[in-house]
């Protein structure tokens, strides 16, 4: 350790802190989301099948694999009843469109993948200073929290 100590005034240190905090805010604004896209397919016998995937091609592959596992392997048939596929890039909107906990509509692996992406995305965000302390959670926040609690009770997390 050096015997020389750098003496800086309080105002210089506070100025540098302010510059670094401004840089942190800039970087947080540039931070891309790691959350992928939700796709909602119209199928039979299930009305809607939700898939969490990077893109449409991967979503279709996951849909076919899941429906094969759930139906064809058990001697039942399934089919796509519409070419219309809903795509939700914002998980808040996807959660609002689901008729229950969004994560329960996904396969277990997809739900876990979304949960991990959601947590990683939240770690990159700064807390909103304007949000009241006891403000109710959004639908998505409740869905993620409830799913996490259920998985912990099952011993899966």
């Amino acid at each position: 350790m050096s015997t020389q100590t750098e003496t800086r005034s309080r105002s210089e240190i506070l100025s540098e802190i302010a510059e670094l905090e401004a840089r942190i805010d800039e970087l947080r604004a540039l931070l891309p989301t790691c959350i992928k896209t939700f796709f909602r397919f119209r199928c039979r016998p299930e009305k809607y099948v939700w898939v969490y995937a990077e893109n449409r091609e991967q979503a279709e592959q996951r849909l076919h694999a899941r429906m094969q596992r759930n139906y064809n392997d058990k001697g039942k048939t399934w089919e796509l009843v519409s070419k219309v596929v809903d795509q939700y890039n914002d998980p808040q909107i996807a959660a609002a469109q689901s008729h229950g906990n969004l994560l329960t509509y996904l396969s277990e692996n997809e739900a876990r993948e979304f949960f991990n992406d959601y947590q990683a995305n939240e770690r990159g965000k700064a807390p909103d200073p304007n949000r009241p302390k006891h403000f109710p959670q959004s639908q998505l926040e409740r869905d993620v929290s409830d799913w996490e609690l259920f998985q912990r009770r099952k011993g899966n997390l």
Side-chain angles (χ1 to χ4, degrees):
M1 188 167 157
S2 173
T3 57
Q4 293 180 335
T5 58
E6 186 178 325
T7 58
R8 296 166 55 186
S9 71
R10 179 176 174 77
S11 62
E12 288 174 333
I13 293 171
L14 288 174
S15 174
E16 186 175 348
I17 289 171
E19 289 173 16
L20 293 172
E21 287 175 342
R23 181 66 180 142
I24 288 172
D25 291 340
E26 289 173 16
L27 290 172
R28 285 192 196 281
L30 295 174
L31 189 64
T33 184
C34 56
I35 294 180
K36 298 172 189 73
T37 304
F38 288 91
F39 296 88
R40 186 171 69 172
F41 294 90
R42 289 158 176 80
C43 296
R44 187 174 297 133
E46 297 177 38
K47 185 175 182 179
Y48 296 115
V49 178
W50 288 84
V51 177
Y52 179 67
E54 192 75 45
N55 53 44
R56 171 84 181 253
E57 182 180 317
Q58 183 185 40
E60 289 177 0
Q61 291 171 353
R62 288 181 175 187
L63 169 72
H64 285 276
R66 183 156 103 206
M67 298 305 269
Q68 172 72 27
R69 188 174 51 252
N70 290 348
Y71 293 99
N72 290 357
D73 289 350
K74 297 176 182 173
K76 301 175 184 174
T77 60
W78 71 277
E79 64 180 322
L80 278 172
V81 295
S82 175
K83 293 182 181 183
V84 175
V85 177
D86 300 319
Q87 181 174 331
Y88 301 99
N89 296 322
D90 184 348
Q92 294 280 0
I93 296 171
Q97 294 299 315
S98 68
H99 297 291
N101 187 318
L102 177 63
L103 281 80
T104 62
Y105 286 100
L106 302 172
S107 70
E108 189 171 328
N109 290 337
E110 290 170 21
R112 189 173 309 285
E113 180 181 354
F114 171 69
F115 177 75
N116 292 333
D117 289 350
Y118 179 83
Q119 284 189 319
N121 200 56
E122 291 299 303
R123 278 192 298 271
K125 290 183 181 178
D128 183 1
N130 297 325
R131 183 175 175 151
K133 183 177 180 181
H134 299 291
F135 196 73
Q137 290 182 320
S138 71
Q139 180 65 47
L140 179 64
E141 291 169 328
R142 281 193 310 272
D143 287 356
V144 169
S145 175
D146 291 348
W147 185 86
E148 178 183 19
L149 180 62
F150 181 70
Q151 293 301 312
R152 288 193 188 286
R153 285 182 179 160
K154 284 177 36 179
N156 291 342
L157 286 181

